[in-house]
Structures are given as C-alpha cells and as structure tokens.
C-alpha cells in the first residue's frame, strides 16, 4: 500500500496502523508528484490518496496516474475529511 498525505503526523499514524498487519508492505509519500514516481517504480496494489494537498491535489494525482500505462491499473482510494455529499461525489470516478 502506498499512503499519500502531506501531513507528516497523519502519514505516520496511518503507516503505523497499516503495518499492524504484517502481510502489508506500506510505503508513504508526502505529495502527488512523489506518489507518481513511487507508483511507477514500485507498482503498489493500492494507493490511499489524500484528496486535499497543496500543489498537486488528490484528483490531479489520480488523473496523472491514469494517464500512464504502467500506473493506470493501480486501485486508488481517496482519504479525505470532506463529508458533504457534493464534495464526496466530486472524488468518485
């Protein structure tokens, strides 16, 4: 699992929680561009992607991943604090 979030504390807590399952290999990134590079090099089975990040946000990162043949098949789940229906619908693709 590749966990992408610009907040270091959240990345650390998420990583520690996911690593409680010894069968999961977890890596983290702090921004969209770093995530794209890591995904291309590592080919994770799943990306947990923060929706709101400075610079390249989650939807922009997802779009860039889908443009590349070597990352277009990776499953992506958005992680977000946004809970309004209209906001959540924006992230569903």
């Amino acid at each position: 699992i590749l966990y992408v979030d610009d907040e270091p504390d959240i990345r650390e807590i998420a990583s520690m929680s996911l690593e409680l399952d010894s069968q999961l290999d977890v890596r983290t990134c702090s921004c969209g561009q770093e995530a794209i590079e890591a995904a291309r090099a590592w080919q994770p089975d799943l990306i947990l992607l923060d929706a709101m990040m400075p610079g390249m946000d989650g939807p922009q990162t997802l779009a860039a991943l889908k443009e590349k043949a070597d990352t277009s098949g990776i499953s992506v789940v958005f992680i977000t604090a946004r809970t309004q229906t209209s906001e959540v619908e924006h992230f569903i693709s």
Side-chain angles (χ1 to χ4, degrees), residues 24-65:
L24 296 179
D25 185 7
V26 180
R27 299 181 191 183
T28 64
C29 293
S30 62
C31 67
Q33 187 59 47
E34 187 180 333
I36 293 165
E37 293 167 12
R40 293 189 83 191
W42 182 43
Q43 295 293 306
D45 293 321
L46 175 66
I47 298 174
L48 298 176
L49 181 59
D50 184 12
M52 299 177 294
M53 296 183 289
M56 182 183 282
D57 67 9
Q60 292 168 326
T61 303
L62 176 60
L65 289 165

Side-chain angles (χ1 to χ4, degrees), residues 1-92:
I1 296 174
L2 179 61
Y3 188 89
V4 186
D5 197 304
D6 61 308
E7 295 290 332
D9 293 342
I10 295 173
R11 268 196 325 272
E12 183 176 353
I13 290 168
S15 178
M16 287 175 16
S17 297
L18 292 166
E19 288 172 341
L20 290 173
D21 185 334
S22 61
Q23 294 182 348
L24 296 179
D25 185 7
V26 180
R27 299 181 191 183
T28 64
C29 293
S30 62
C31 67
Q33 187 59 47
E34 187 180 333
I36 293 165
E37 293 167 12
R40 293 189 83 191
W42 182 43
Q43 295 293 306
D45 293 321
L46 175 66
I47 298 174
L48 298 176
L49 181 59
D50 184 12
M52 299 177 294
M53 296 183 289
M56 182 183 282
D57 67 9
Q60 292 168 326
T61 303
L62 176 60
L65 289 165
K66 295 302 178 189
E67 287 177 357
K68 306 284 186 192
D70 57 344
T71 56
S72 64
I74 300 172
S75 296
V76 176
V77 175
F78 280 117
I79 305 297
T80 183
R82 296 193 179 241
T83 60
Q84 298 297 320
T85 303
S86 61
E87 294 171 324
V88 172
E89 287 174 352
H90 171 73
F91 298 120
I92 297 173

